[in-house]
């Protein structure tokens, strides 16, 4: 029986994780659930899964939630509040696995704490890895933690790696990674029309049902840019050996090209419960609730080169990882600020890439060899991006 802590339990990945957990009550026990804002959902999850701990990251909502639990049938749940409490529950002795499913930089510290505590880290929170890079990978190695990718592409690549492979190693006989992308909702939209895209249009993803931030990232293809950096780190590969492939059907979730000419692909219906169940059961497998793939319904699959003119964010991610140092941290922070501004209708869709590019131009790729340097670069890049947004609107 394994204990699981779900960071970001109320989000899209968190909900899918609880769906898988509920299918395996003999294998998994929910030790802790965390959420930021959506406390009705957290309350319902507490009733259904009866964790030992519930964490409300945003302390403004803490007292009301404590009162609600105290007057509920699950009054023995310990309710904690604040960002530090996320680290407390991700390192508990009876937690074996931590699902890192907070969105954005807010997930870094509890995810890093889980790695340092030697947990099985089920990593959905790609921003945490992109911003901290080698520091995170080193923490995993030093503590002997097990890092299992949840991002569907990286989970697919992991599944296509040789037997005995662990994240962070170079698979010598693997010469290339083919990182697939759906291309998002604007793959065919005339470039001139992208200026007028609304938040609702941008979050309406054709293949995946996800949180708002990652949905916008998919529309700009910054999601693929972050995933490119994530893949360089997880699989210790050079960015030039990772080819992004647009595959609109989202049936192949990525491929590994071997020196003998074999190309291994992992396929399945686009449903995050497959990579979640894979990582939870690893090195075994168990049921995820995902319907079997109907290959006859798929019938055919298309593959295209990405257009970097249409998707400048992908180009910026290649530039950031090649420049190295703090630049991936800067890219990620500027993107988080720009996406939030877009969702709040303060900037246009096409401004997102401009804000990131102008922010990156203000930084030099200094070495990023400590957490302090990373956190400082993250803070500064957010300030710079906010200033640029102010300039765009003046
Ligand atoms: P979401 O917006 O649906 O959920 C985010 C979760 O994080 C919520 O539980 C929210 O309460 C919590 N949260 C938000 N801000 C917080 C803060 N400041 N402090 C603490 N908790 C906070 O997002 P999602 O779609 O589930 O994505 C989560 C992560 O997984 C992201 O990093 C995303 O890139 C990655 N991911 C998601 C998918 C997907 O299909 N949704 C696929 C691959 C990777
Ligand atoms: Mg992905």
């Amino acid at each position: 029986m394994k204990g699981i802590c779900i960071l970001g339990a109320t989000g899209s990945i968190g909900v899918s994780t609880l769906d898988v957990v509920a299918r395996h009550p003999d294998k998994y026990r929910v030790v802790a659930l965390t959420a930021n804002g959506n406390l009705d959902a957290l309350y319902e999850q507490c009733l259904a899964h009866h964790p030992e701990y519930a964490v409300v990251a945003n302390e403004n909502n803490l007292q009301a939630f404590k009162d609600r639990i105290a007057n509920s049938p699950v009054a023995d749940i310990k309710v904690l509040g604040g960002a530090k409490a996320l680290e407390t529950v991700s390192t508990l002795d009876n937690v074996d696995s931590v699902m890192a499913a907070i969105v954005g930089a807010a997930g870094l510290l509890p995810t890093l704490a889980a790695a340092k505590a030697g947990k099985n880290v089920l990593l959905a929170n790609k921003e945490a890895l992109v911003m901290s890079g080698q520091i995170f990978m080193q923490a995993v190695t030093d503590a002997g933690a097990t890092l299992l990718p949840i991002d569907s592409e990286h989970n697919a690549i992991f599944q296509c790696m040789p037997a005995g492979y662990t994240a962070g190693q170079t698979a010598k006989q693997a010469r290339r990674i083919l990182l697939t992308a759906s291309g998002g909702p604007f793959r065919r939209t005339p470039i001139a029309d992208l200026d007028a895209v609304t938040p609702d249009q941008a979050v309406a993803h054709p293949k995946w049902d996800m949180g708002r931030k990652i949905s916008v990232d998919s529309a700009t293809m910054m999601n693929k840019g972050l995933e490119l950096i994530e893949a360089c780190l997880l699989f210790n590969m050079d960015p030039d050996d990772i080819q992004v492939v647009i595959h609109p059907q989202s049936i192949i979730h990525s491929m590994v090209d071997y020196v003998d000419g074999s190309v291994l692909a992992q396929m399945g219906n686009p449903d995050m419960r497959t990579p979640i169940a894979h990582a939870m059961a690893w090195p075994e497998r168990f049921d995820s609730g995902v319907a079997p793939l109907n290959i006859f319904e798929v019938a055919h699959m298309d593959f295209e080169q990405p257009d970097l003119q249409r998707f400048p964010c992908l180009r910026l991610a290649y530039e950031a990882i090649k420049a190295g140092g703090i630049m991936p941290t800067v890219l990620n922070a500027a993107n988080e600020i720009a996406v939030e501004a877009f969702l709040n209708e303060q900037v246009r869709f096409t401004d997102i890439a401009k804000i990131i590019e102008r922010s990156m131009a203000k930084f030099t790729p200094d070495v990023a060899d400590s957490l302090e340097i990373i956190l400082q670069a993250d803070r500064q890049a957010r300030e710079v991006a906010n200033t640029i947004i102010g300039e765009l609107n003046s």
Side-chain angles (χ1 to χ4, degrees):
M1 192 80 157
K2 280 185 182 159
I4 190 166
C5 162
I6 305 176
L7 301 171
T10 55
S12 159
I13 293 289
V15 168
S16 293
T17 303
L18 283 170
D19 181 288
V20 175
V21 166
R23 292 167 197 277
H24 302 283
D26 54 325
K27 297 206 168 63
Y28 273 92
R29 202 173 83 75
V30 180
V31 177
L33 297 175
T34 86
N36 196 43
N38 190 351
L39 299 187
D40 288 338
L42 183 63
Y43 181 75
E44 293 302 325
Q45 292 180 341
C46 284
L47 291 180
H49 299 278
H50 203 156
E52 246 173 78
Y53 290 86
V55 177
V56 177
N58 180 345
E59 276 179 292
N60 294 335
N61 304 320
L62 179 60
Q63 195 53 50
F65 192 77
K66 273 188 172 168
D67 295 343
R68 199 162 166 195
I69 289 290
N71 295 306
S72 78
V74 288
D76 59 335
I77 294 177
K78 300 185 221 27
V79 178
L80 308 178
K84 265 282 166 209
L86 299 171
E87 293 177 52
T88 307
V89 295
S90 74
T91 57
L92 289 167
D93 282 345
N94 58 348
V95 164
D96 303 285
S97 298
V98 174
M99 171 55 78
I102 290 175
V103 59
L108 174 61
L109 294 180
T111 307
L112 190 59
K116 286 182 176 164
K119 305 296 188 193
N120 297 328
V121 180
L122 281 51
L123 185 75
N125 182 198
K126 66 194 86 183
E127 298 92 343
L129 179 60
V130 168
M131 71 185 284
S132 62
Q134 288 306 336
I135 300 218
F136 190 89
M137 296 306 292
Q138 195 60 49
V140 168
T141 308
D142 290 349
T146 302
L147 183 55
L148 296 164
I150 296 297
D151 217 338
S152 56
E153 297 77 3
H154 305 74
N155 183 270
I157 295 161
F158 186 81
Q159 292 198 45
C160 295
M161 284 298 184
Y165 179 81
T166 49
Q169 290 179 342
T170 304
K172 285 201 191 66
Q173 315 303 344
R175 64 183 166 194
R176 234 174 15 139
I177 283 174
L178 301 171
L179 184 68
T180 57
S182 72
F186 307 131
R187 190 168 54 92
R188 294 269 184 262
T189 309
I191 292 184
D193 294 354
L194 292 177
D195 264 349
V197 160
T198 65
D200 283 345
Q201 289 170 322
V203 300
H205 195 275
K207 289 288 169 196
W208 298 94
D209 183 10
M210 310 179 287
R212 284 166 73 77
K213 191 264 178 181
I214 184 177
S215 297
V216 176
D217 285 347
S218 298
T220 61
M221 280 194 80
M222 179 54 92
N223 184 49
K224 214 48 54 182
L226 297 174
E227 291 185 359
L228 165 80
I229 299 172
E230 184 184 12
C232 291
L233 291 159
L234 286 175
F235 307 113
N236 203 15
M237 294 276 275
D238 195 273
D240 288 330
D241 296 329
I242 300 177
Q243 171 69 55
V244 173
V245 180
I246 298 201
H247 164 46
Q249 291 85 5
S250 299
I251 295 299
I252 291 180
H253 300 301
S254 280
M255 297 170 255
V256 179
D257 177 6
Y258 284 91
V259 287
D260 62 1
S262 299
V263 178
L264 302 193
Q266 186 262 358
M267 302 196 282
N269 286 317
D271 186 322
M272 288 306 294
R273 291 176 300 173
T274 294
I276 290 168
H278 171 267
M280 283 176 62
W282 185 88
E284 322 251 312
R285 289 185 187 265
F286 60 32
D287 171 45
S288 64
V290 176
L293 178 67
N294 183 337
I295 202 87
F296 302 110
E297 229 165 65
V298 175
H300 75 265
M301 295 194 269
D302 298 297
F303 304 99
E304 297 166 14
Q305 297 258 12
D307 174 355
L308 295 188
Q309 208 114 31
R310 173 182 292 277
F311 298 115
C313 286
L314 184 55
R315 169 178 58 81
L316 293 171
Y318 270 102
E319 288 174 15
I321 185 69
K322 287 185 178 181
I326 59 168
M327 295 316 282
T329 315
V330 171
L331 171 95
N332 178 66
N335 180 57
E336 286 192 31
I337 295 295
V339 170
E340 195 181 292
F342 168 68
L343 286 171
N344 293 333
E345 301 186 53
Q346 291 164 317
V347 300
R348 287 176 300 189
F349 183 73
T350 45
D351 288 334
I352 295 173
K354 287 183 201 155
I355 294 162
I356 300 164
E357 183 152 31
R358 290 182 201 176
S359 299
M360 285 170 66
K362 303 270 187 208
F363 290 83
T364 45
D366 302 335
V367 278
D369 56 2
S370 76
L371 187 59
E372 291 66 40
I373 292 176
I374 299 282
L375 295 176
Q376 186 187 333
D378 176 74
R379 262 194 316 274
Q380 288 174 341
R382 282 165 200 272
E383 278 168 28
V384 166
N386 273 318
T387 307
I388 292 166
I389 290 170
E391 287 164 7
L392 279 174
N393 287 331
S394 64

